[in-house]
Amino acid sequence: MSIVAFVEALLLEPLVAILRNAFGYWLVRAPTPGVALIAFSLIINLVLVPVYREMERAEAAQSERWSKMRAEVARMRKYFRGRERYFYIRTVHRHYRYSPALAVVGSGSIILQMVVFFAAYRYLSSQPELIGVPFGSIRSLSEPDGLLWGLNLLPLVMTALNVAAAFLRSAERRQRIQACLLAAVFLVLLYGSPAGLLVYWTTNNAVALLRIIGKRLWERASPVLWRTWLTQLARLE
Amino acid sequence: MNDPARAALVAPLIAYIDPGTGSALLYVISGLVASIYFAARSLYLRLREVAARRGGRLEKCVVAIHGEDPRYEITFLPVIRCLVERGIDVTYFTMYERGDSFEPLPSEVKHRNIPPGLVGYAYLNNLEAVVLVTTTPQLDVMTFRRSRRVKHYCHIPHALGESRYVRPYAYDFFDSVMCCGRVLEQNIRRMEEIRQLPKKRLLATGIPHYDVLLRERGSRSASSERPTVLVAPSWGPMSIFEVFGTSLVRTIARHYDVVVRPHPQMKVSQPELYAEVLGIEGVAVDTGRTPLAAMARADVLVSDISGIMHEFAFVHEKPVLLIDHGGEIGGLEGHLLGGDSDLKRLCRDFIIPVPPSEVDQLPEHIAAALRQHSTERIAKTREDLVYNFGGAALVAARQLEELVSCP
């Protein structure tokens, strides 16, 4: 067995089996395969909420630490040159236990997302149930939607959601620009994709956006306000 | 499923990667590129070190003392003598030739001359010792790296410092620092808090070379005619010669006898300025290995941030004029500590700050400093700021003996 096949068997196959059951469950119960796709996407997101929350917490802590590190590196860059600068920056990295390679490997959410998306892709790409199936105004989930006078609407909705998420997720200009550029890249790549993929994918993005908005509201509301609401809720009961 | 339909559904894998993950992928690529760069650079440096080490014979020592420059002999020799008296095995590594002009070492001391720079550090990086003592800061930051076979690294001060005008990570990776006084001790603790470093051993040692200066002071006397002004600035961009030029020396020389002592490092780092200083007419220039003779002769010192002003004030009990041009401390440790120098604040009665705008009035400031001078005030402040004044070498030797028994 090759290494790739081993990794597939170890990581992807169990996930594909879970996805098959989840999608199969909704395919039978939902009125249409399109609704099943949406429900499938929602369920996957719901199951992953605690995992994402934990990983976001860890990433926020790491982000704060590395933000301090970047400030220190910037200070070294400003005041020192050449060999001296190189050694100081290396010491800053060591002090913050940072290495570019570890930074990548150490981010669990990236690996998890890649594995989950790869499994979803593997499973959905071999589903015959979506071929020629209409969903609302969409003629076939296996073809581009063409809803906007022949132009595809779903990729545009997906891009709008991505841009909104980019602006809400980070206040840093650099990260916003980077996310918007990537949204544009995905728009180009996915523009001609089948509507089924985009229904699933746009639902994912909508859920992600709602999570960001919900998190923002939770953070902004004062603890006093939450206590008042909870007290009122208790009285109603 | 027919082929066109399958082809339509089999979109690129990237179709299932959201912008967050896509961003991460870009990050992966940039991370890999950066990793390769840093790995290649580290490999290059390691190869250079291995090449430099080839042929070197490693030494096994109890107390290894590393002297980077002859000007630190005055720090090490009194400690070495005390260590020898206590029966401790000492190996003295110098990055310079100890010629006949140097004071002979006790016969029990093993002396090893190692090359200066990278080759010498490559040797030290592989040394075997219980304790290594050095005045060189930034252990494990620049080329001076920790050897796995040295149990304990100890820094010893060669001046009254406060961890403010030193380069990044000056003391951070030592196991212990022999502190010259409470200000250094406090600031090292503050840096440990700022960088969240484990607490290192801070020893109340003092400044061993003050012991020598104090003894030497008694054997010389200051001039009794026209007062003599010693002008001894630091080197680098903060040196008063760099900031104001050398004309201030001529201004002073119109009213007083002047001895100029350029910092030894100026000869290496600012050779043109050094040559200009040597060429100033009508003044004496002192380039001796130690400033003892010049300090003994002078009645007042004009300096900037150099450690010499503390020696002059605390050992010779004479006033100093500090030309306080508030130079940019840039990336130095004081940048993180914030605020102004504690030593400057606590010594301002006898190390008198002169604003840059009044450099032309230095003769008047010198006259006022000589008029208002009080040795009692200096002695009181010295007691507060310097540990074990006059007896630091013996204290350092005792502390090293303890470190050897419990590294």
Side-chain angles (χ1 to χ4, degrees):
Chain A
M1 184 186 275
S2 71
I3 294 172
V4 175
F6 177 74
V7 172
E8 273 194 16
L10 193 73
L11 281 176
L12 288 182
E13 290 310 326
L15 270 172
V16 168
I18 293 167
L19 297 177
R20 187 183 300 122
N21 281 323
F23 188 53
Y25 177 87
W26 287 107
L27 207 55
V28 175
R29 284 162 182 80
T32 66
V35 173
L37 265 178
I38 293 172
F40 170 59
S41 173
L42 290 174
I43 286 297
I44 288 181
N45 274 286
L46 198 66
V47 168
L48 289 176
V49 160
V51 183
Y52 281 135
R53 193 189 294 159
E54 195 50 45
M55 284 189 303
E56 277 169 9
R57 200 176 295 155
E59 278 167 15
Q62 181 170 277
S63 172
E64 191 188 338
R65 190 173 168 77
W66 286 355
S67 159
K68 284 182 191 166
M69 182 196 75
R70 279 193 293 273
E72 194 63 357
V73 167
R75 194 168 73 91
M76 299 306 172
R77 281 189 198 286
K78 184 177 176 187
Y79 293 109
F80 301 102
R81 296 280 172 275
R83 187 168 159 273
E84 199 177 11
R85 177 200 273 181
Y86 167 77
F87 277 111
Y88 294 164
I89 290 176
R90 206 174 72 155
T91 309
V92 174
H93 284 172
R94 191 183 66 188
H95 176 62
Y96 284 90
R97 296 187 198 93
Y98 170 87
S99 89
L102 271 179
V104 171
V105 176
S107 179
S109 70
I110 296 165
I111 295 164
L112 179 72
Q113 281 187 58
M114 286 170 75
V115 169
V116 169
F117 286 127
F118 189 55
Y121 165 79
R122 272 280 295 271
Y123 175 62
L124 282 176
S125 64
S126 58
Q127 280 310 299
E129 285 85 357
L130 303 179
I131 300 167
V133 175
F135 179 50
S137 309
I138 302 167
R139 277 177 290 124
S140 170
L141 286 171
S142 62
E143 291 168 19
D145 63 78
L147 287 175
L148 211 61
W149 302 286
L151 298 172
N152 299 329
L153 177 65
L154 281 172
L156 299 177
V157 173
M158 174 200 75
T159 306
L161 291 172
N162 282 341
V163 170
F167 273 81
L168 285 173
R169 187 179 285 135
S170 172
E172 276 185 47
R173 192 166 168 266
R174 188 176 58 88
Q175 285 188 356
R176 282 180 172 180
I177 292 172
Q178 194 183 13
C180 288
L181 283 173
L182 280 158
V185 170
F186 285 117
L187 173 64
V188 173
L189 287 173
L190 295 181
Y191 184 76
S193 298
L197 290 178
L198 281 150
V199 166
Y200 170 77
W201 176 236
T202 306
T203 310
N204 259 347
N205 289 333
V207 172
L209 182 63
L210 285 173
R211 280 188 64 235
I212 293 168
I213 293 170
K215 197 177 162 197
R216 279 281 176 106
L217 288 174
W218 178 268
E219 282 168 359
R220 280 190 188 175
S222 69
V224 178
L225 195 63
W226 285 115
R227 255 203 309 274
T228 314
W229 286 350
L230 289 172
T231 313
Q232 284 172 355
L233 198 68
R235 275 185 200 147
L236 281 175
E237 282 177 355
Chain B
M1 188 193 296
N2 59 27
D3 283 348
R6 181 180 289 275
L9 268 175
V10 182
L13 171 60
I14 205 160
Y16 274 99
I17 297 176
D18 66 18
T21 311
S23 168
L25 279 175
L26 281 186
Y27 189 57
V28 168
I29 294 162
S30 60
L32 284 174
V33 171
S35 296
I36 291 166
Y37 167 75
F38 277 101
R41 182 123 197 196
S42 292
L43 184 67
Y44 166 71
L45 290 169
R46 183 55 60 95
L47 286 175
R48 276 184 64 179
E49 188 184 309
V50 169
R53 201 172 64 204
R54 277 183 67 190
R57 194 165 55 85
L58 298 182
E59 195 86 24
K60 286 183 184 177
C61 324
V62 178
V63 173
I65 293 178
H66 162 238
E68 188 188 0
D69 189 275
R71 67 177 179 269
Y72 304 131
E73 288 255 329
I74 193 170
T75 293
F76 291 126
L77 289 191
V79 180
I80 287 173
R81 276 191 219 99
C82 292
L83 283 169
V84 169
E85 279 167 18
R86 303 179 82 77
I88 302 206
D89 180 67
V90 177
T91 312
Y92 187 30
F93 295 91
T94 59
M95 286 183 150
Y96 50 89
E97 292 281 351
R98 288 190 94 252
D100 293 339
S101 63
F102 283 77
E103 194 179 328
L105 292 168
S107 56
E108 297 89 340
V109 175
K110 292 186 281 278
H111 172 244
R112 300 284 179 265
N113 183 36
I114 56 172
L118 192 68
V119 180
Y121 284 119
Y123 186 91
L124 292 176
N125 294 349
N126 294 280
L127 195 73
E128 187 169 343
V130 181
V131 180
L132 187 142
V133 191
T134 182
T135 52
T136 305
Q138 294 185 307
L139 172 67
D140 236 12
V141 175
M142 299 289 280
T143 45
F144 191 8
R145 316 204 70 78
R146 291 184 74 101
S147 163
R148 273 172 296 189
R149 289 176 286 274
V150 172
K151 289 182 183 163
H152 190 103
Y153 280 90
C154 177
H155 186 273
I156 189 166
H158 62 81
L160 182 64
E162 55 180 320
S163 187
R164 182 173 287 277
Y165 301 105
V166 289
R167 299 180 105 68
Y169 306 103
Y171 306 108
D172 286 359
F173 305 114
F174 282 94
D175 299 302
S176 64
V177 177
M178 293 182 159
C179 295
C180 47
R182 68 173 175 87
V183 177
L184 177 65
E185 196 171 330
Q186 286 160 4
N187 283 345
I188 288 178
R189 286 283 180 247
R190 280 183 61 203
M191 289 306 297
E192 286 171 348
E193 278 173 28
I194 290 168
R195 293 205 171 109
Q196 296 182 320
L197 293 165
K199 286 188 173 182
K200 59 184 77 57
R201 241 187 276 189
L202 297 183
L203 307 165
T205 307
I207 307 167
H209 82 267
Y210 277 14
D211 302 4
V212 180
L213 296 180
L214 193 62
R215 277 198 303 273
E216 294 288 327
R217 182 195 72 169
S219 61
R220 292 183 174 92
S221 60
S223 62
S224 55
E225 299 162 9
R226 203 160 80 133
T228 299
V229 179
L230 172 61
V231 181
S234 64
W235 62 280
M238 293 174 82
S239 162
I240 49 174
F241 284 166
E242 187 69 42
V243 178
F244 303 103
T246 54
S247 62
L248 63 92
V249 174
R250 282 179 279 272
T251 307
I252 301 168
R254 282 197 282 272
H255 303 83
Y256 300 97
D257 288 343
V258 175
V259 178
V260 181
R261 182 176 166 81
H263 195 284
Q265 188 64 32
M266 188 184 281
K267 188 177 179 181
V268 180
S269 303
Q270 297 163 294
E272 288 175 13
L273 185 59
Y274 187 80
E276 186 186 327
V277 173
L278 295 189
I280 301 173
E281 288 180 3
V283 300
V285 179
D286 176 64
T287 54
R289 201 165 64 227
T290 70
L292 298 178
M295 286 200 288
R297 180 180 160 188
D299 299 288
V300 62
L301 170 71
V302 173
S303 188
D304 40 42
I305 61 163
S306 176
I308 195 173
M309 63 187 185
H310 293 119
E311 292 171 11
F312 194 77
F314 289 136
V315 178
H316 294 265
E317 297 176 339
K318 296 171 189 173
V320 178
L321 291 172
L322 164 65
I323 302 191
D324 190 8
H325 52 84
E328 168 78 62
I329 58 168
L332 305 182
E333 295 291 71
H335 193 129
L336 291 182
L337 287 170
D340 203 358
S341 161
D342 296 304
L343 290 178
K344 199 195 289 181
R345 178 175 53 81
L346 295 164
C347 301
R348 62 183 306 122
D349 283 345
F350 49 89
I351 298 178
I352 303 153
V354 176
S357 57
E358 295 175 21
V359 163
D360 291 341
Q361 297 154 41
L362 265 173
E364 290 84 351
H365 282 289
I366 291 168
L370 289 168
R371 241 187 351 261
Q372 295 157 12
H373 178 54
S374 155
T375 51
E376 291 75 24
R377 227 170 12 204
I378 292 180
K380 199 176 166 194
T381 310
R382 183 177 64 205
E383 200 177 326
D384 178 37
L385 296 181
V386 184
Y387 290 140
N388 306 307
F389 180 72
L394 181 60
V395 173
R398 281 184 190 146
Q399 289 166 339
L400 284 171
E401 191 176 17
E402 275 179 35
L403 290 178
V404 167
S405 61
C406 184

